[in-house]
């Protein structure tokens, strides 16, 4: 019989968000493998790949300290020993995050496939911060009949509201203030009563910060990633740049309680 094993896939630069994934993993198994691999296939911009923070030694200490039982930091050759045929993330992989980053989700699926084949986990934990990634991976796992259960982990925010991300370390104090427009816009938009007003509020708040360069902001339906038509199962997505640092975040619409007459 296969022993339960949880995989926490990461690209390193471990922060409290990753540690929260390890905490969740403990509910599923005593065997927790945390992988660290900066996957070149999912970076369309060589500069972004070069600047991606790398700190395997510190990461290892942090992850083991938090309860991971094995750290796997493979080389490129281990992951891609032969010519790579990338997996296809489909139409949803070319929207939003995938529209401006050609091949990004194909690269994500390709590496996740390799990680799963190597580790053979029973469970794999992915953060909701990369909501589109989570959606695409879940769909692909279901379609391919893989025996891995994908577990979604909630977004972890700093006290000021900024969603934790390895890229945040590249923000100056000033940039960080500007970046807070994202969580502010999401909070306000998701408390609107309709998706139409949520969309308007999202764009209004985001455009109030001159240092924020918008890539996309949309309210989508969580079941199909189409623009939402009602607040039920709707989620606001935002991505953009502050001083050259790419940031993304999302938040579920808080559906108002039904009025009982
Ligand atoms: O979310 C990430 O850190 C990466 O996209 C993942 C899932 C580890 C694949 O490289």
């Amino acid at each position: 019989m296969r022993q339960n094993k949880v995989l926490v896939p990461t690209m390193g630069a471990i922060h409290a968000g990753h540690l929260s994934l390890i905490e969740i993993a403990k509910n599923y198994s005593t065997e927790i493998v945390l992988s660290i691999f900066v996957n070149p296939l999912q970076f369309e911009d060589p500069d972004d790949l070069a600047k991606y923070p790398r700190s395997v030694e510190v990461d290892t200490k942090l992850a083991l300290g938090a309860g991971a039982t094995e750290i796997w930091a493979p080389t490129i050759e281990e992951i891609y020993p032969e010519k790579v045929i990338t997996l296809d993330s489909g139409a949803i992989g070319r929207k939003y995050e995938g529209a401006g980053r050609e091949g990004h989700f194909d690269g994500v699926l390709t590496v996740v496939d390799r990680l799963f084949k190597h580790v053979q986990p029973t469970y794999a934990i992915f953060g909701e911060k990369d909501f589109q990634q989570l959606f695409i991976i879940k769909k692909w796992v279901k379609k391919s009949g893989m025996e891995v259960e994908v577990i979604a982990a909630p977004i972890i925010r700093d006290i000021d509201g900024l969603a934790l991300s390895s890229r945040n370390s590249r923000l100056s104090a000033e940039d960080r203030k500007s970046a807070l427009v994202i969580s502010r816009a999401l909070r306000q938009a998701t408390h609107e009563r309709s998706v139409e007003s949520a969309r308007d509020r999202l764009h209004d708040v985001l455009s109030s910060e001159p240092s924020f360069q918008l890539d996309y902001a949309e309210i989508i339906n969580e079941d199909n990633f189409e623009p939402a038509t009602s607040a039920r199962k709707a989620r606001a997505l935002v991505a953009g740049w502050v001083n050259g640092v790419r940031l993304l975040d999302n938040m579920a619409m808080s559906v108002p309680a039904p009025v009982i007459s």
Side-chain angles (χ1 to χ4, degrees), residues 71-211:
I71 308 299
W72 183 46
T75 59
I76 300 247
E77 292 72 28
E78 269 178 276
I79 294 287
Y80 301 124
E82 71 291 322
K83 191 174 175 312
V84 189
I85 299 162
T86 50
L87 300 187
D88 183 0
S89 58
I92 296 173
R94 290 182 274 282
K95 287 180 174 186
Y96 304 116
E97 205 49 25
R101 307 179 64 190
E102 214 194 314
H104 170 70
F105 287 116
D106 296 352
V108 169
L109 279 191
T110 306
V111 79
V112 170
D113 180 52
R114 306 242 165 164
L115 297 174
F116 281 8
K117 285 196 172 123
H118 186 96
V119 177
Q120 305 223 329
T122 330
Y123 304 97
I125 310 204
F126 295 87
E128 284 189 340
K129 164 133 186 317
D130 295 297
F131 198 78
Q132 193 176 358
Q133 166 175 284
L134 175 67
F135 180 92
I136 289 170
I137 292 172
K138 269 189 177 167
K139 203 163 161 246
W140 161 75
V141 164
K142 196 168 170 202
K143 195 172 159 203
S144 56
M146 258 181 200
E147 286 183 43
V148 179
E149 190 178 329
V150 173
I151 313 289
I155 297 177
I156 305 292
R157 298 180 181 280
D158 255 324
I159 193 120
D160 58 8
L162 189 67
L164 295 192
S165 160
S166 305
R167 288 189 172 92
N168 293 355
S169 62
R170 288 166 51 200
L171 295 170
S172 69
E174 198 57 32
D175 295 340
R176 203 186 155 92
K177 267 193 218 151
S178 308
L180 291 181
V181 73
I182 302 175
S183 51
R184 196 161 61 242
L186 286 170
R187 253 191 334 267
Q188 293 187 22
T190 51
H191 282 85
E192 290 288 337
R193 293 185 76 83
S194 73
V195 281
E196 291 76 20
S197 50
R199 267 188 198 104
D200 291 346
R201 179 62 76 106
L202 198 56
H203 285 275
D204 284 353
V205 179
L206 290 171
S207 60
S208 69
E209 172 51 63
S211 304

Side-chain angles (χ1 to χ4, degrees), residues 14-49:
I14 300 293
H15 51 64
H18 298 113
L19 302 184
S20 77
L21 304 185
I22 299 175
E23 220 37 61
I24 293 172
K26 289 179 190 167
N27 299 322
Y28 292 89
S29 173
T30 48
E31 208 178 327
I32 302 169
V33 181
L34 181 129
S35 62
I36 301 175
F37 181 68
V38 182
N39 174 31
L41 285 193
Q42 68 189 79
F43 287 80
E44 69 301 336
D45 174 3
D47 193 43
D48 194 26
L49 174 61

